[in-house]
Amino acid sequence: MTEPARILVVGGGYVGMYTALRLQRQLRAELRSGAAEIVVVTPEPYMTYQPFLPEAAAGSISPRHVVVPLRRVLDRCRILIGEVLSVDHAKRTATLSTLATDEEGTGPVELAYDELVLAPGSVSRTLPVPGLAEHGIGFKTVEEAIGLRNHVIEQMDIAFSTRDPAIRDAALTFVFVGGGYAGVEALAELEDMARYTARYYHNIKPGDLRWVLVEASDRILPEVGETMGRYAVRELRGRNVDVRLGTRLDSCEDRTAVLSDGTRLPTRTVVWTAGVRPAPLLAATGLPLNERGRIRCTARLSVEGVDHAWAAGDAAAVPDVTSGEPGRECAPNAQHAVRQARVLADNIAASLRGQPLEEYAHAYAGSVASLGLHKGVAHVYGRKLKGYPAWLMHRAYHLSRVPTFNRKARVLAEWTLSGLFKREIVSLGSLEHPRAEFELAASPPPGDDDEPSS
């Protein structure tokens, strides 16, 4: 018997999950007969639908409905929870560590493959800002989103209880760095949530909360166009959000955010959403990279000049054949990633069967962004919307994009219930350290040497 053709998918995000999902449909006969095998290596056993992270942070959506379990969706794939450390494509092997290898203490193992799909996504792009590593909070994962929600409510608890005005002011000052989707939507949703929560603290008024958005360029939300970006600034400033354009974060040491315009903001909350960069793994693949560290790809989503290697999404520099401009690449966003995954899977199946490949061509349709409950901006197919219609379009679009009918139904149900009942204002900070209470109970008091009674 011949060995099955093994397709190794690195990453379980948008591209990884959608590629594997379509491959298991396209190669149904090959998988059933044992002629092909799909292996997905991913650090987490789920795919996170990142556009819903702001609503998860605000409590509008349950965290478990923001993620899609890979084992349920990719039931004909082999899922390995671990991390690919390097790739030797000349030998068609990948070096990876898994939960099992960590437990066994045997070190990384090699996995052979026939076709390689690189979709490790991106990581937060940080700068050497003093104090950022110690005090900054990211916003790329569901854990970070829920942790930030807990943190904001805990700061309100601190402000409610303290008699020190300096501690109170720092606790009620929230600084967000980055004016893209993640920063603006996270700030807008959490400001909405905190303003509502303030009614349950008799000594905190909504005006006591200080929200600051720091953006290095002269505009926010560039994806929705200049006009809608200006409207978003006016909308946020109308809610007493301090929008600082053309400003950078120089330091956040000693719980003080120092901005490039000289402003010093004592704060216990600095949220960093200032862009992303390709996953570090790409540098350990030996595959051709562009100046931004993304893999050079053809319009067919194969790696440039390399056989049996493919990439898409944040990790790939894919030519934009619809623009008519030589050298222009597709933007690394979810809209392109989901559509590229479909073409990528079709091309891999066609390659295995000796059929012709197709090029990826998708004209950018536009963008939508939420600015909190019932507020938003949109620029879709040349049409500009703002306020409630844009917010409704934002929800409708992302509801249609979130994978599986199960998740669609649950999210829609939660939205419906949240419109009928009051917001949840509970902080579950103990979830981040679930063993803390037991460890305290299990530790004997200092100086207590007595033997436990039988």
Side-chain angles (χ1 to χ4, degrees):
M1 295 178 61
T2 59
E3 290 292 322
R6 177 176 290 159
I7 303 168
L8 175 60
V9 180
V10 180
Y14 288 116
V15 174
M17 191 202 76
Y18 279 108
T19 299
L21 179 62
R22 192 165 179 88
L23 275 171
Q24 72 178 14
R25 293 171 181 166
Q26 294 283 60
L27 301 176
R28 188 178 292 108
E30 288 86 346
L31 293 171
R32 190 183 301 116
S33 67
E37 177 188 23
I38 304 170
V39 179
V40 180
V41 180
T42 174
E44 304 293 347
Y46 53 79
M47 186 274 271
T48 302
Y49 191 72
Q50 292 184 340
F52 280 160
L53 289 183
E55 293 201 53
S60 299
I61 300 177
S62 171
R64 68 184 184 277
H65 298 154
V66 177
V67 298
V68 179
L70 295 178
R71 294 190 188 280
R72 176 184 294 174
V73 176
L74 305 178
D75 56 333
R76 290 188 290 275
C77 298
R78 181 182 167 199
I79 310 295
L80 295 179
I81 306 305
E83 182 181 4
V84 173
L85 305 176
S86 63
V87 172
D88 186 341
H89 192 64
K91 296 181 179 178
R92 306 279 179 86
T93 60
T95 302
L96 58 132
S97 64
T98 67
L99 295 179
T101 60
D102 292 343
E103 286 293 322
E104 294 165 355
T106 56
V109 297
E110 286 192 348
L111 180 68
Y113 62 82
D114 297 284
E115 302 286 339
L116 174 67
V117 178
L118 281 168
S122 57
V123 297
S124 295
R125 183 191 64 189
T126 58
L127 299 175
V129 176
L132 182 61
E134 294 79 14
H135 304 297
I137 302 172
F139 200 77
K140 273 188 65 64
T141 68
V142 67
E143 293 86 357
E144 288 174 329
I146 304 311
L148 180 56
R149 169 188 170 81
N150 294 336
H151 175 82
V152 169
I153 297 177
E154 286 169 1
Q155 298 313 301
M156 296 179 72
D157 287 331
I158 291 172
F160 175 81
S161 305
T162 185
R163 295 182 179 180
D164 188 326
I167 293 177
R168 173 187 167 91
D169 290 345
L172 296 180
T173 299
F174 307 96
V175 179
F176 285 68
V177 183
Y181 279 127
V184 172
E185 291 191 341
L187 183 151
E189 292 285 353
L190 284 165
E191 189 273 337
D192 247 0
M193 183 270 292
R195 183 161 24 88
Y196 175 87
T197 304
R199 69 179 65 182
Y200 297 99
Y201 296 82
H202 70 261
N203 64 349
I204 299 178
K205 299 182 177 65
D208 296 335
L209 299 160
R210 186 177 186 184
W211 300 83
V212 183
L213 178 63
V214 179
E215 169 54 41
S217 69
D218 60 353
R219 56 194 289 195
I220 65 172
L221 296 175
E223 298 88 350
V224 299
E226 187 174 353
T227 302
M228 291 295 97
R230 288 199 300 267
Y231 168 81
V233 170
R234 292 197 302 271
E235 168 67 27
L236 292 174
R237 285 174 173 166
R239 290 156 58 180
N240 291 322
V241 176
D242 185 357
V243 181
R244 303 287 184 99
L245 301 178
T247 309
R248 300 180 308 279
L249 176 70
D250 285 346
S251 171
C252 57
E253 289 183 306
D254 302 322
R255 293 193 179 277
T256 300
V258 180
L259 308 184
S260 59
D261 61 6
T263 304
R264 299 177 65 86
L265 300 168
T267 178
R268 300 170 62 89
T269 309
V270 175
V271 183
W272 183 268
T273 62
V276 296
R277 61 184 176 86
L281 164 66
L282 302 186
T285 63
L287 298 175
L289 308 179
N290 70 357
E291 64 281 357
R292 296 184 179 179
R294 298 164 67 194
I295 298 176
R296 294 185 181 274
C297 290
T298 68
R300 295 180 177 86
L301 303 176
S302 59
V303 177
E304 196 174 89
V306 180
D307 294 330
H308 307 290
W310 315 78
D314 290 353
V318 179
D320 186 354
V321 299
T322 64
S323 68
E325 300 178 24
R328 184 166 181 174
E329 299 170 354
C330 296
N333 57 36
Q335 185 179 143
H336 281 300
V338 173
R339 288 173 170 83
Q340 286 172 0
R342 186 181 303 119
V343 176
L344 175 54
D346 290 347
N347 281 348
I348 293 174
S351 175
L352 292 175
R353 295 166 178 164
Q355 299 170 350
L357 311 184
E358 64 175 303
E359 290 189 344
Y360 173 73
H362 170 68
Y364 189 56
S367 299
V368 291
S370 170
L371 298 177
L373 192 61
H374 300 157
K375 296 173 283 289
V377 290
H379 189 184
V380 181
Y381 292 115
R383 297 193 62 183
K384 300 172 183 176
L385 299 174
K386 58 187 179 183
Y388 186 83
W391 173 81
L392 195 61
M393 178 175 285
H394 173 271
R395 282 202 160 181
Y397 173 77
H398 286 301
L399 185 65
S400 70
R401 295 292 95 189
V402 68
T404 77
F405 177 79
N406 181 306
R407 285 294 177 273
K408 287 179 172 64
R410 290 178 183 274
V411 169
L412 183 59
E414 286 195 304
W415 281 342
T416 303
L417 292 173
S418 66
L420 298 175
F421 299 101
K422 295 180 179 180
R423 281 180 183 261
E424 292 290 347
I425 60 167
V426 177
S427 166
L428 296 175
S430 59
L431 290 176
E432 298 162 40
H433 308 286
R435 296 189 67 250
E437 184 175 348
F438 182 78
E439 288 175 348
L440 182 63
S443 301
D448 186 358
D449 298 326
D450 294 340
E451 292 292 329
S453 59
S454 58

